[in-house]
Amino acid sequence: MKKRIISIDVNQGSEKEYFRILTEKIHQKSNGYVCFSNVHMLIEAYDDKQFAEVVNSATYAFPDGFPIAKSFKILYGKSQERIAGMDFLPKFLAVCNREKFKVGFIGSTDEVLAEVQEKISTSLPDVELTVLISPPFGQQWNNQAYIEQINRTGTDLVFVALGCPKQERWMHQHYQQTNAMLFGIGGALPTYTGLIKRAPQWMARYGFEWLYRLIKEPKRMFKRYFYTNTKFLYLLTREGFRKKPTKS
């Protein structure tokens, strides 16, 4: 079940429940795509109606960001846990190992993908890596060749690490041509491999992971966070005043 959070439709439910559902769908060779929704994605969708359609057409859109998860309580009187892409990736890779799924990756650099391959081959021996593609920077991509490789190798699921909104648009455009489930995981791979350190657990728990990233990358992140966070708070406050929380 999805609930509208300002501009995007976000799934309600537990991570454990969706792990079960996704595992079943992957075994059934169902195609589709999964978004991990944060404030940046929500504001991108609010500002761009075509992108809103991309996100709202996703098979699943999970509440990645702490503010998105908390919005369920403010708007609907419903508690909702956060289902963060950076946490989801290692946890679901463990599921892939148990189920012996064939897994692919598209995005990031060759160096990062080599680290991913090394880590998975060492710690998750029953995961079969079938696709490891770093699309060329500044050049046209051979998307048809990528899709053919996914299907030819019988890949069950693909983690797409192209960043928002590029990865969501890519998944929306190509998911119907694949026989795999696609997951848009943004910048999760460098964190997964340990190349980039993640925020301390207490910061993530209390919704301050954005502050950690701002401290680490102030020039790159300040404009994004200043604009998106401020606009989100305004929109959420306005939406909250429009309606009383309702149970569902």
Side-chain angles (χ1 to χ4, degrees):
M1 179 185 295
K2 290 183 178 180
K3 293 287 190 185
R4 173 59 59 95
I5 306 296
I6 302 173
S7 59
I8 58 177
D9 298 327
V10 184
N11 280 88
Q12 176 183 328
S14 70
E15 184 179 69
K16 181 178 179 181
E17 174 188 4
Y18 284 114
F19 272 27
R20 178 186 59 79
I21 293 169
L22 286 165
T23 300
E24 290 177 358
K25 285 191 170 293
I26 291 168
H27 274 300
Q28 294 163 3
K29 298 300 289 185
S30 298
N31 61 3
Y33 65 101
V34 178
C35 299
F36 291 90
S37 306
N38 56 22
V39 169
H40 175 216
M41 183 181 294
L42 184 149
I43 297 301
E44 286 276 352
Y46 185 85
D47 292 342
D48 182 343
K49 302 308 178 188
Q50 287 187 332
F51 182 62
E53 178 63 24
V54 167
V55 177
N56 293 332
S57 297
T59 314
Y60 302 100
F62 296 138
D64 176 278
F66 185 87
I68 303 298
K70 288 299 180 184
S71 297
F72 279 81
K73 191 71 171 178
I74 295 169
L75 299 178
Y76 300 103
K78 191 81 174 178
S79 295
Q80 172 60 46
E81 68 179 279
R82 183 185 179 199
I83 305 176
M86 286 191 181
D87 296 322
F88 182 95
L89 175 62
K91 290 179 184 178
F92 204 71
L93 279 172
V95 174
C96 295
N97 189 63
R98 184 190 71 209
E99 302 294 328
K100 296 181 171 57
F101 285 147
K102 295 181 178 181
V103 177
F105 290 88
I106 293 178
S108 198
T109 65
D110 288 327
E111 292 75 17
V112 171
L113 291 179
E115 293 286 338
V116 169
Q117 185 174 24
E118 174 65 22
K119 181 167 183 175
I120 289 177
S121 63
T122 301
S123 59
L124 301 168
D126 287 326
V127 170
E128 183 180 346
L129 288 174
T130 53
V131 177
L132 288 163
I133 297 170
S134 177
F137 182 77
Q139 300 176 39
Q140 191 168 358
W141 300 355
N142 191 344
N143 287 308
Q144 190 56 44
Y146 301 164
I147 299 303
E148 288 175 1
Q149 185 177 353
I150 291 168
N151 292 337
R152 183 180 69 253
T153 55
T155 302
D156 296 303
L157 67 152
V158 180
F159 293 105
V160 184
L162 301 173
C164 175
K166 184 180 290 184
Q167 66 194 13
E168 287 77 25
R169 296 186 190 279
W170 192 92
M171 293 189 298
H172 178 70
Q173 183 178 355
H174 298 292
Y175 83 97
Q176 291 181 320
Q177 304 165 37
T178 76
N179 301 321
M181 189 69 70
L182 310 178
F183 295 82
I185 57 169
L189 293 184
T191 304
Y192 172 68
T193 59
L195 293 171
I196 293 179
K197 188 176 179 181
R198 193 176 176 188
Q201 282 295 319
W202 71 266
M203 294 188 83
R205 188 181 307 117
Y206 292 106
F208 290 108
E209 201 161 12
W210 66 271
L211 180 59
Y212 180 84
R213 292 189 67 192
L214 179 60
I215 293 169
K216 290 290 186 181
E217 300 178 87
K219 289 184 179 179
R220 190 171 77 89
M221 304 308 298
F222 177 78
K223 186 176 180 181
R224 176 198 289 187
Y225 284 143
F226 180 78
Y227 173 71
T228 59
N229 289 10
T230 302
K231 190 166 186 175
F232 171 76
L233 288 173
Y234 164 72
L235 293 171
L236 183 63
T237 301
R238 187 180 69 177
E239 193 71 16
F241 276 120
R242 282 180 178 175
K243 60 195 290 189
K244 292 181 180 179
T246 58
K247 299 283 184 179
S248 62

